[in-house]
Amino acid sequence: MSHPNEESNPSDTYEARRLEALHRLDLLDTAPTEAFDRITRMAAQIFNLPISAVSLTDADRQWFKSRVGVAHDSIPRDKAPCSHVADTAGVVVIPDLLDDACYRDSPLAESGIRFYAGAPLITDDGYSLGAMCVLGTEPRQTTPEEMASLHDLAAMAMAQIELQHALGRIDPVSGLPNRKQFREDFDDLNKDGKGIEARVLVMVNFAKPEEIRDGTRAMGSHYFEDLIRHSVTLLRSILGKGRTIYHVGEAQVAFFARQGIELQAYSRELAQVLQQQRHASNASFMTTTSVGIAPFLLGQTGYADVLRMAHSACQEAFEMDEHVCVYSTEHDAAHLRRFTLLNKFSSALEHTERLSLVYQPRIDIASGACVGAEALLRWTDPDLGPVSPGEFMPIVELSSMARPVTAWLMETAIRQLRQWQDDGIDMQVSLNVSATNLLEPDFAERLLATLTKYQVAPQAVELELTESAFMSNPGKAQATLTAVADAGVRLAIDDFGTGYSSLSYLQSLPADIVKIDQSFIRKLFEGERARMLVGAMVSLSHELGYRVVAEGVETQEALDFLRKTGCDEVQGYLFAKPMPPESLVQWLAQQQVSEAA
Ligand code: C2E
Ligand code: CA
Ligand code: CA
């Protein structure tokens, strides 16, 4: 038999393209599957031989997608007859390895193999990926019928490979080509490109994550699939025939815009379509659709960057009236900042000396006495410097770090309370908790355990939670809150007035304090309406039995007004800024001196 002559072999480029074709299939090192094993068993049966395999020729090894009677899942490529099949894309039959100059001393012959027959696994594009092969321990001849069967089995194995490949590129819910396919098509576009080309990728996000979560909770698990199918059908009808839509994220699809569009006009056009849909759509999916438009230079931008830009614009679009946003580097800066914060914050949890708590006093209006303090988190990163919790907490709260950070602040604040009590200072501390915390099944348990550990009465602690934290999962939050409230921990509704729920709804919460958001206090002297609103909030809260705290009190006028409304407590720069615990002790001492004077 003849062997490929290294020089005349259609060179490295065929091999390079062959390997690329093989790697694209994502088949190497995947688990065995019955679909392939069935074919392999059949081959062994037809030849009545103990060994059979679907063998793929990688750069330096033969890897077996399926094998009967073979102990290893791969063998070195050199001196393997299957590699010869791949190189030549032709059938190889070796009746007796010991008679063959090339294989006489091969590891295969040494292991007792005498017979080999292999048919190539050839792709549509003509690349030979490897071999469908049978092996025996006795020398042997083959019949034309046997070889015809081996060819058929090779074709079946190849059909299976292509089927799996295609299935791996289709989203099972939408039936659309998925992110993998997007990547391949994008790479092809890049290669075909005649130089650099300005193109636009449009991403449509069908719903916010919380809408999917709430919808699924209310309507059942089919809600999400129905939403996707409904939205995709709609989008298809809007885009018309012949356009490829890719399903690139959970609720996100993307498509390339027509070439040569003008960005602003295009974005107005999309905004109009969105608005029409909002009016027309049936009410079964009350979700917010947003559109992100990412202009990019084909040939200069990678597929991942384009997706990231489109995604960033999509997120930004939620904040905009039209829900359509064209990507700009400004948004990217914001995105990158969020990314950096999240990354850096995780190291702060390992170096907790970068975290600290400051305390801002709360003052009883009637007596002028300090009745407690709110613990506020401070973070100083070695590179970024001090970062405001208003900036990092909203991101951290959405990450898996919500739990450890609250654990840290619970421990730190309660230890501080113990310290103050030992020093003869009677204090109450409010802790801010996030939505994620309320969903932790052991939140109440851990809080109560920490109180016990430091021998601090539950009445000395108050939890501040926003309406949205409670509303994100009222059922679970309720259970946690009832447990802590029953133990004597007090609850306050934070940032009151900024959410959408009515106080009567919030009545189901075991809270006894309402903290009016500082935005209302800041606006007090901007007009009569603002003062009426605050007055109404105070009296309504009182009617429902809450104690009322006003936040962000910066001026004497504001304090005077709040006193008139009957507001119970105030907190703000007029009295004190948040401060480290040592400073708070000094501040308290000064207060007593001035009261006595
Ligand atoms: P918040 O709970 O509404 O906290 C009140 C914020 O208003 C604090 O900002 C405080 O420093 C600030 N403030 C207090 N008095 C005045 C005033 O008179 N004028 C003005 N302009 N501002 C005043 P800070 O400390 O930057 O915290 C911002 C937000 O970050 C907090 O809003 C809270 O939502 C969150 N946060 C802070 N610490 C924690 C924490 O430990 N856990 C959680 N989950 N969130 C926290
Ligand atoms: Ca607060
Ligand atoms: Ca607040």
Side-chain angles (χ1 to χ4, degrees):
M1 64 180 285
S2 75
H3 289 289
N5 172 333
E6 294 301 327
E7 264 98 33
S8 69
N9 198 4
S11 83
D12 300 340
T13 51
Y14 172 81
E15 174 62 6
R17 276 182 278 126
R18 192 193 70 77
L19 282 174
E20 193 185 303
L22 175 65
H23 292 159
R24 258 191 181 205
L25 290 167
D26 288 334
L27 204 63
L28 292 171
D29 301 307
T30 53
T33 49
E34 179 58 19
F36 285 103
D37 291 350
R38 203 177 285 139
I39 299 173
T40 315
R41 283 198 302 270
M42 216 185 257
Q45 262 166 27
I46 289 171
F47 281 81
N48 193 21
L49 286 174
I51 306 169
S52 165
V54 172
S55 168
L56 301 173
T57 309
D58 199 0
D60 53 5
R61 60 174 179 160
Q62 283 298 140
W63 180 79
F64 303 120
K65 173 64 200 169
S66 171
R67 54 199 159 103
V68 170
V70 189
H72 306 284
D73 57 13
S74 76
I75 58 169
R77 175 170 173 176
D78 59 331
K79 296 253 173 164
C82 289
S83 158
H84 188 183
V85 178
D87 290 340
T88 57
V91 173
V92 171
V93 178
I94 310 168
D96 189 349
L97 268 72
L98 294 186
D99 276 350
D100 190 292
C102 190
Y103 294 110
R104 187 176 298 142
D105 305 318
S106 68
L108 213 54
E110 276 163 24
S111 69
I113 298 296
R114 298 288 293 272
F115 167 79
Y116 175 92
L121 301 166
I122 300 182
T123 65
D124 282 348
D125 307 334
Y127 295 111
S128 169
L129 305 178
M132 170 83 241
C133 62
V134 286
L135 297 89
T137 50
E138 302 292 333
R140 187 184 191 287
Q141 299 297 326
T142 55
T143 65
E145 291 76 24
E146 281 175 337
M147 287 317 290
S149 299
L150 195 62
H151 261 297
D152 283 348
L153 291 170
M156 278 166 70
M158 207 50 232
Q160 190 60 39
I161 287 173
E162 294 196 325
L163 181 69
Q164 283 202 352
H165 177 71
L167 283 179
R169 271 148 188 76
I170 299 273
D171 183 275
V173 175
S174 62
L176 295 178
N178 63 14
R179 200 181 168 100
K180 252 188 193 164
Q181 185 69 54
F182 174 77
R183 179 189 186 152
E184 282 180 12
D185 291 357
F186 190 89
D187 287 347
D188 285 347
L189 263 183
N190 254 327
K191 277 184 204 143
D192 301 348
K194 308 146 195 76
I196 292 167
E197 217 178 288
R199 295 292 287 264
V200 172
L201 185 76
V202 182
M203 187 181 279
V204 183
N205 192 347
F206 294 134
K208 296 182 180 179
E210 61 268 29
E211 291 171 339
I212 298 174
R213 195 187 51 214
D214 294 349
T216 306
R217 196 182 309 128
M219 323 271 282
S221 56
H222 59 85
Y223 172 82
F224 177 68
E225 300 194 355
D226 291 349
L227 167 70
I228 295 296
R229 291 199 189 105
H230 169 82
S231 312
V232 166
T233 310
L234 202 64
L235 183 62
R236 266 220 180 95
S237 70
I238 293 170
L239 286 179
K241 284 209 181 80
R243 301 287 294 276
T244 309
I245 306 173
Y246 298 92
H247 197 153
V248 292
E250 191 190 22
Q252 291 132 10
V253 299
F255 56 89
F256 293 102
R258 300 185 302 273
Q259 267 174 285
I261 50 145
E262 197 274 308
L263 272 182
Q264 291 314 319
Y266 188 64
S267 124
R268 277 196 300 275
E269 198 182 310
L270 287 177
Q272 235 165 27
V273 174
L274 259 191
Q275 202 184 4
Q276 281 161 4
Q277 290 310 324
R278 264 200 296 277
H279 291 308
S281 77
N282 61 19
S284 52
F285 304 104
M286 302 249 287
T287 58
T288 321
T289 302
S290 77
V291 177
I293 303 176
F296 67 97
L297 290 178
L298 190 65
Q300 279 206 327
T301 325
Y303 94 99
D305 284 329
V306 175
L307 278 182
R308 185 181 53 74
M309 293 189 301
H311 189 260
S312 156
C314 239
Q315 291 307 108
E316 218 64 44
F318 280 130
E319 312 297 322
M320 306 201 162
D321 290 343
E322 313 260 73
H323 289 173
V324 176
C325 173
V326 179
Y327 171 85
S328 81
T329 42
E330 254 167 70
H331 300 142
D332 205 33
H335 179 88
L336 281 181
R337 168 83 176 169
R338 287 197 286 269
F339 178 83
T340 313
L341 287 181
L342 205 57
N343 257 347
K344 297 247 179 206
F345 195 79
S346 66
S347 62
L349 284 174
E350 281 157 26
H351 302 270
T352 44
E353 72 280 1
R354 296 179 192 166
L355 298 177
S356 64
L357 284 181
V358 289
Y359 297 85
Q360 186 178 36
R362 232 162 74 183
I363 284 93
D364 179 76
I365 296 187
S367 67
C370 169
V371 286
E374 175 175 2
L376 293 156
L377 191 55
R378 291 296 173 262
W379 168 35
T380 304
D381 181 79
D383 301 324
L384 304 172
V387 187
S388 152
E391 190 183 9
F392 69 80
M393 274 319 283
I395 314 166
V396 168
E397 281 174 354
L398 294 177
S399 77
S400 59
M401 289 183 278
R403 183 186 163 101
V405 74
T406 308
W408 177 86
L409 81 94
M410 213 144 90
E411 175 85 19
T412 309
I414 294 173
R415 193 186 326 118
Q416 184 64 60
L417 270 174
R418 173 76 264 147
Q419 182 66 47
W420 278 328
Q421 280 176 20
D422 290 347
D423 295 344
I425 300 167
D426 191 20
M427 247 309 171
Q428 280 170 349
V429 165
S430 309
L431 298 177
N432 291 285
V433 297
S434 65
T436 332
N437 297 139
L438 297 181
L439 302 183
E440 294 162 10
D442 58 349
F443 179 84
E445 206 179 303
R446 283 188 297 133
L447 174 62
L448 301 179
T450 312
L451 288 168
T452 313
K453 176 175 162 192
Y454 289 105
Q455 298 275 296
V456 168
Q459 288 73 14
V461 172
E462 181 179 288
L463 299 183
E464 295 189 6
L465 57 137
T466 59
E467 293 164 49
S468 57
F470 173 65
M471 293 300 291
S472 74
N473 190 337
K476 273 196 186 165
Q478 185 88 42
T480 301
L481 293 173
T482 310
V484 291
D486 284 352
V489 172
R490 291 183 311 165
L491 299 181
I493 299 166
D494 201 0
D495 299 347
F496 179 67
T498 58
Y500 298 104
S501 13
S502 67
L503 254 193
S504 47
Y505 183 84
L506 292 173
Q507 283 246 284
S508 62
L509 267 173
D512 19 36
I513 289 145
V514 161
K515 293 185 84 174
I516 299 179
D517 189 65
Q518 36 184 298
S519 58
F520 296 96
I521 310 303
R522 207 169 302 138
K523 280 189 251 165
L524 270 182
F525 294 96
E526 282 176 17
E528 181 61 26
R529 243 185 83 80
R531 289 191 290 278
M532 276 171 59
L533 197 59
V534 170
M537 281 195 218
V538 175
S539 51
L540 180 66
S541 304
H542 278 162
E543 268 166 44
L544 293 170
Y546 293 102
R547 211 174 145 73
V548 183
V549 183
E551 285 193 293
V553 179
E554 295 185 1
T555 61
Q556 184 65 41
E557 285 155 289
L559 174 64
D560 293 341
F561 172 80
L562 288 162
R563 193 195 308 274
K564 269 187 260 158
T565 63
C567 176
D568 303 286
E569 294 175 29
V570 277
Q571 181 180 341
Y573 293 172
L574 177 63
F575 307 92
K577 289 199 167 175
M579 51 196 150
E582 328 62 89
S583 312
L584 183 73
V585 173
Q586 284 174 8
W587 182 86
L588 283 170
Q590 273 170 6
Q591 293 299 105
Q592 271 156 9
V593 171
S594 51
E595 253 171 51

